[in-house]
Amino acid sequence: MDIPSTNASTSTSATSPRVPVFVLAGFLGSGKTTLLNHLLQDDHGIKLAVIVNDFGTIPVDAMLVAGQVDSLVSMANGCLCCESSDEELDAALDQLAHTPGVEGIIIEASGLAEPQVLMSMVATATTVTEVAVGGLIEVIDAGEVLDTVRQHPAVVKRLHNADLIVLNKADRVEPAELQQVRQLLAEAAPAVMTVTTAYGRVDARVLFDRPQAAPQNFAELVAEHRDQYAEHSHHEHDHHADHAHSGHGDYEHCHDDGHDHHESCDCSEHHHGHDHHDHHHLHDSYRMVSLSLHAPLHPARFMDFVRNGAGGAYRVKGFLQLAGPREPESFVFEKTGQHIALQRWFPQGSANMTPATAAPTGTAPADSAPADVMLADPMSADTALSGSEESAQSGLVFIGVELDESAIAEVCAACVWEGTEADPVSEGELWAFYPYLEDVAADPEDYWWEDWEGESAAGEVYLVEPEDDPTFLP
Ligand SMILES: Nc1nc2c(ncn2[C@@H]2O[C@H](COP(=O)(O)OP(=O)(O)OP(=O)(O)O)[C@@H](O)[C@H]2O)c(=O)[nH]1
């Protein structure tokens, strides 16, 4: 498969191939990691490398992607657009672009990153390393986007600036609501191609074949992407190293709620050429706390906490060890808005994961941390994926505007299971999280949550999966 040489104005060498870089953006929990994993598993014949930018100190997204891709750089603890220098991103892109066989690079932005800033950083990188701008893919959550836009009107502009919109989680909404979202997109981004899907199941060709005329090969696709990108007048940022970053300055202020600037967002020293932070970024309004827990949690107590607002967190994600009738089991835990989901967690290898940014200490009030809860210094990329004892710990990231950090730490500490083997969590108590469980294992014999008699603590008997029960309201 041929990769094109760039044109004379941007190529570092007349013959050097350039690797297209796609920025995968979208609000918190919209489905970026899900889409990325789908792309990595899809048999499209294009060797991809990825950069994963986690907002929290625990590289949750990177860990969920690790194992699917040979070349992965993890950049955690803050949005790339603010927390990383151009040099760091250039170095990561350079490293991946020179990995043998790599034909495309996807940057998964954090859910609070400013995609236009990232696109500018990528454009800048094209002058110092062998990459080309591929395009901006915006993922939106069909069930949340109307509320998100109400709360953060500036998100509309992101849609307008995208090269491709993936309207995800179509399964979560009724046709009428989907139609409302489509109407929003028709008004906000009339010229942008939209793909409607569930669980990020986008045919990779839609990304790589976006130009209407079916190109002959990937080389042509990449060339077309670059030309298309350069021609778009709505991409207001400058693609040159000395760019003034005009698109960036064009953002509307959003949701300035008077919060102090988040500690993890020290934007005072930044990218060369980026006039940074004369305006608000989306993440300025948000706070984050990362917790590491060193004992299994009681499922009913923990689910009670998250169902009752999770300390004001809009987004919670991470890895949970839950106590049960037998050995504790590990789960991926996700909360986006009101939507809660758990999946069984099978740790993947980390050999392919390069932590570009060491996980620093976090931002929560350490003096309020209970003894068995470690704040914001949980699993570094090295330990979290090692398969060692450390990887069995729970690690959770909470993100929200009105985040009660102390309460989160205290309540999570109170959720720690203190029972013994002789006094295990009862089957009835498991009902607390069963309704939220996705992807139940193929072989029920293997897992204790399939052993239940089918009777909840309240005495109701479920003859069907709760989500199939029309009367069930989680
Ligand atoms: N019902 C439904 N759930 C989905 C879909 N896509 C993703 N999810 C779930 O939504 C949750 C969030 O998905 P992610 O892929 O982690 O979202 P994200 O955009 O990477 O999240 P952040 O990086 O935190 O912003 C997970 O529980 C996914 O399993 C979908 O199409 N339908």
Side-chain angles (χ1 to χ4, degrees):
M1 189 176 288
D2 294 331
I3 300 295
S5 297
T6 55
N7 60 38
S9 64
T10 55
S11 179
T12 50
S13 138
T15 54
S16 60
R18 289 201 175 233
V19 178
V21 180
F22 298 88
V23 172
L24 182 57
F27 194 64
L28 292 167
S30 53
K32 298 176 293 295
T33 309
T34 307
L35 170 59
L36 181 56
N37 267 327
H38 173 76
L39 283 180
L40 295 173
Q41 288 157 9
D42 201 20
D43 186 20
H44 44 63
I46 299 167
K47 185 170 177 186
L48 296 171
V50 299
I51 295 174
V52 180
N53 173 214
D54 278 282
F55 187 65
T57 51
I58 304 173
V60 176
D61 290 351
M63 290 159 70
L64 291 171
V65 169
Q68 313 292 346
V69 61
D70 293 334
S71 308
L72 165 63
V73 173
S74 167
M75 299 176 104
N77 195 28
C79 295
L80 256 182
C81 60
C82 237
E83 289 302 315
S84 301
S85 66
D86 285 326
E87 290 77 10
E88 278 174 293
L89 183 64
D90 291 355
L93 288 172
D94 199 48
Q95 174 195 328
L96 295 176
H98 286 95
T99 304
V102 165
E103 295 162 297
I105 299 172
I106 298 182
I107 301 177
E108 185 194 343
S110 94
L112 293 172
E114 298 292 335
Q116 203 71 0
V117 180
L118 267 176
M119 290 302 284
S120 288
M121 292 171 78
V122 171
T124 308
T126 63
T127 62
V128 294
T129 188
E130 312 254 319
V131 298
V133 174
L136 172 60
I137 303 158
E138 272 282 336
V139 184
I140 62 177
D141 179 335
E144 299 284 336
V145 67
L146 296 175
D147 279 346
T148 304
V149 165
R150 242 171 255 132
Q151 199 183 5
H152 304 298
V155 167
V156 170
K157 183 144 192 175
R158 296 178 171 195
L159 302 174
H160 180 73
N161 287 340
D163 292 294
L164 174 72
I165 293 173
V166 177
L167 175 49
N168 192 38
K169 302 200 188 181
D171 60 300
R172 280 195 58 204
V173 294
E174 297 296 327
E177 189 175 350
L178 195 61
Q179 193 47 40
Q180 271 185 290
V181 177
R182 287 211 170 101
Q183 183 62 32
L184 168 80
L185 296 180
E187 288 164 16
V192 184
M193 179 176 167
T194 300
V195 180
T196 304
T197 189
Y199 289 97
R201 292 188 198 111
V202 171
D203 187 329
R205 286 172 299 184
V206 174
L207 304 186
F208 297 110
D209 294 6
R210 265 187 301 109
Q212 283 75 11
Q216 300 302 306
N217 55 36
F218 191 51
E220 288 183 24
L221 289 174
V222 173
E224 285 192 43
H225 279 240
R226 193 171 48 248
D227 294 346
Q228 182 196 38
Y229 189 82
E231 281 164 14
H232 274 184
S233 59
H234 63 250
H235 287 128
E236 293 156 302
H237 53 262
D238 190 338
H239 283 200
H240 302 291
D242 59 349
H243 67 282
H245 205 1
S246 57
H248 181 181
D250 204 21
Y251 269 95
E252 293 164 23
H253 290 200
C254 61
H255 200 79
D256 183 1
D257 61 0
H259 271 142
D260 290 343
H261 201 106
H262 192 288
E263 285 177 54
S264 74
C265 184
D266 175 7
C267 301
S268 53
E269 40 186 284
H270 278 298
H271 323 298
H272 51 72
H274 289 160
D275 178 16
H276 235 277
H277 250 196
D278 51 352
H279 59 282
H280 280 256
H281 283 185
L282 193 55
H283 52 76
D284 292 347
S285 305
Y286 280 78
R287 300 189 67 81
M288 175 270 294
V289 58
S290 301
L291 294 183
S292 178
L293 299 126
H294 298 279
L297 298 184
H298 190 288
R301 273 186 249 152
F302 181 74
M303 292 310 295
D304 203 40
F305 165 60
V306 292
R307 270 201 309 262
N308 284 303
Y314 173 84
R315 181 87 173 109
V316 185
K317 59 183 177 179
F319 303 91
L320 267 186
Q321 223 188 30
L322 292 178
R326 301 208 294 269
E327 290 295 299
E329 299 275 359
S330 295
F331 299 86
V332 179
F333 178 84
E334 306 256 9
K335 173 185 180 291
T336 307
Q338 300 300 315
H339 188 73
I340 298 168
L342 290 103
Q343 286 180 20
R344 194 162 197 281
W345 166 239
F346 299 96
Q348 318 258 9
S350 65
N352 59 339
M353 181 164 151
T354 309
T357 311
T361 53
T363 58
D367 52 357
S368 66
D372 48 359
V373 177
M374 260 175 61
L375 287 173
D377 182 23
M379 299 181 276
S380 73
D382 289 335
T383 58
L385 297 174
S386 64
S388 61
E389 281 303 304
E390 290 96 322
S391 64
Q393 300 169 349
S394 297
L396 290 167
V397 177
F398 297 75
I399 301 170
V401 172
E402 303 286 347
L403 210 57
D404 187 341
E405 288 125 328
S406 306
I408 289 171
E410 278 161 23
V411 177
C412 282
C415 290
V416 168
W417 178 64
E418 282 143 358
T420 61
E421 275 181 34
D423 176 26
V425 169
S426 73
E427 287 173 354
E429 288 170 304
L430 298 178
W431 283 95
F433 82 88
Y434 179 69
Y436 305 100
L437 199 57
E438 292 182 342
D439 255 356
V440 174
D443 184 358
E445 293 297 309
D446 290 347
Y447 308 118
W448 44 254
W449 65 78
E450 283 294 323
D451 291 349
W452 312 332
E453 298 296 319
E455 188 168 341
S456 74
E460 303 118 329
V461 175
Y462 283 101
L463 300 178
V464 294
E465 294 284 314
E467 48 270 53
D468 295 334
D469 180 351
T471 62
F472 176 73
L473 291 173

Short mmCIF file of all heavy atoms in Angstrom, two decimals, residues 5 57 84 242 277 282 294 347 395 447 461:
data_model
loop_
_atom_site.label_atom_id
_atom_site.label_comp_id
_atom_site.label_asym_id
_atom_site.label_seq_id
_atom_site.Cartn_x
_atom_site.Cartn_y
_atom_site.Cartn_z
N SER A 5 3.68 10.99 -1.15
CA SER A 5 4.61 12.04 -0.76
C SER A 5 3.80 13.30 -0.64
O SER A 5 2.80 13.51 -1.33
CB SER A 5 5.66 12.23 -1.85
OG SER A 5 6.40 11.05 -1.98
N THR A 57 -5.71 11.11 35.77
CA THR A 57 -4.36 10.60 35.95
C THR A 57 -4.29 9.09 35.71
O THR A 57 -3.22 8.55 35.44
CB THR A 57 -3.85 10.88 37.37
OG1 THR A 57 -4.84 10.43 38.29
CG2 THR A 57 -3.61 12.36 37.58
N SER A 84 -0.11 19.49 27.20
CA SER A 84 1.08 19.02 26.51
C SER A 84 1.65 20.13 25.65
O SER A 84 0.90 20.96 25.13
CB SER A 84 0.74 17.84 25.60
OG SER A 84 0.20 16.81 26.37
N ASP A 242 4.31 28.79 11.89
CA ASP A 242 4.21 30.08 12.57
C ASP A 242 2.75 30.54 12.64
O ASP A 242 2.48 31.72 12.74
CB ASP A 242 5.05 31.12 11.83
CG ASP A 242 4.60 31.27 10.38
OD1 ASP A 242 3.78 30.43 9.94
OD2 ASP A 242 5.04 32.21 9.71
N HIS A 277 -5.03 30.58 26.01
CA HIS A 277 -5.82 30.92 27.17
C HIS A 277 -6.08 32.39 27.38
O HIS A 277 -6.04 32.88 28.50
CB HIS A 277 -5.21 30.30 28.42
CG HIS A 277 -6.12 29.22 28.90
ND1 HIS A 277 -6.06 28.67 30.14
CD2 HIS A 277 -7.14 28.60 28.27
CE1 HIS A 277 -6.98 27.76 30.27
NE2 HIS A 277 -7.64 27.71 29.15
N LEU A 282 -13.41 24.34 27.39
CA LEU A 282 -14.48 23.58 28.03
C LEU A 282 -14.03 23.01 29.37
O LEU A 282 -14.74 23.04 30.36
CB LEU A 282 -14.92 22.46 27.07
CG LEU A 282 -16.20 21.73 27.38
CD1 LEU A 282 -17.36 22.70 27.51
CD2 LEU A 282 -16.49 20.71 26.29
N HIS A 294 -7.71 0.03 47.42
CA HIS A 294 -6.85 -1.14 47.58
C HIS A 294 -7.54 -2.35 48.15
O HIS A 294 -6.89 -3.27 48.65
CB HIS A 294 -5.64 -0.74 48.43
CG HIS A 294 -4.83 0.33 47.76
ND1 HIS A 294 -3.92 0.06 46.78
CD2 HIS A 294 -4.86 1.67 47.89
CE1 HIS A 294 -3.39 1.18 46.35
NE2 HIS A 294 -3.95 2.19 46.99
N PRO A 347 -7.78 -7.74 31.85
CA PRO A 347 -6.62 -6.86 31.60
C PRO A 347 -5.85 -7.31 30.37
O PRO A 347 -5.63 -8.49 30.15
CB PRO A 347 -5.78 -7.02 32.87
CG PRO A 347 -6.73 -7.49 33.90
CD PRO A 347 -7.74 -8.34 33.18
N GLY A 395 -9.35 1.52 40.24
CA GLY A 395 -8.94 2.88 39.92
C GLY A 395 -10.07 3.58 39.19
O GLY A 395 -10.57 3.07 38.18
N TYR A 447 -18.71 -17.53 35.92
CA TYR A 447 -18.84 -16.29 36.68
C TYR A 447 -19.93 -16.37 37.71
O TYR A 447 -21.03 -16.83 37.45
CB TYR A 447 -19.08 -15.11 35.73
CG TYR A 447 -18.04 -15.09 34.64
CD1 TYR A 447 -18.39 -15.24 33.31
CD2 TYR A 447 -16.69 -15.00 34.98
CE1 TYR A 447 -17.43 -15.25 32.32
CE2 TYR A 447 -15.71 -15.01 34.00
CZ TYR A 447 -16.09 -15.14 32.68
OH TYR A 447 -15.14 -15.17 31.71
N VAL A 461 -38.99 -11.52 41.27
CA VAL A 461 -38.32 -12.55 40.49
C VAL A 461 -38.22 -12.09 39.05
O VAL A 461 -39.21 -11.70 38.45
CB VAL A 461 -39.08 -13.88 40.57
CG1 VAL A 461 -38.43 -14.91 39.65
CG2 VAL A 461 -39.11 -14.39 41.99
#
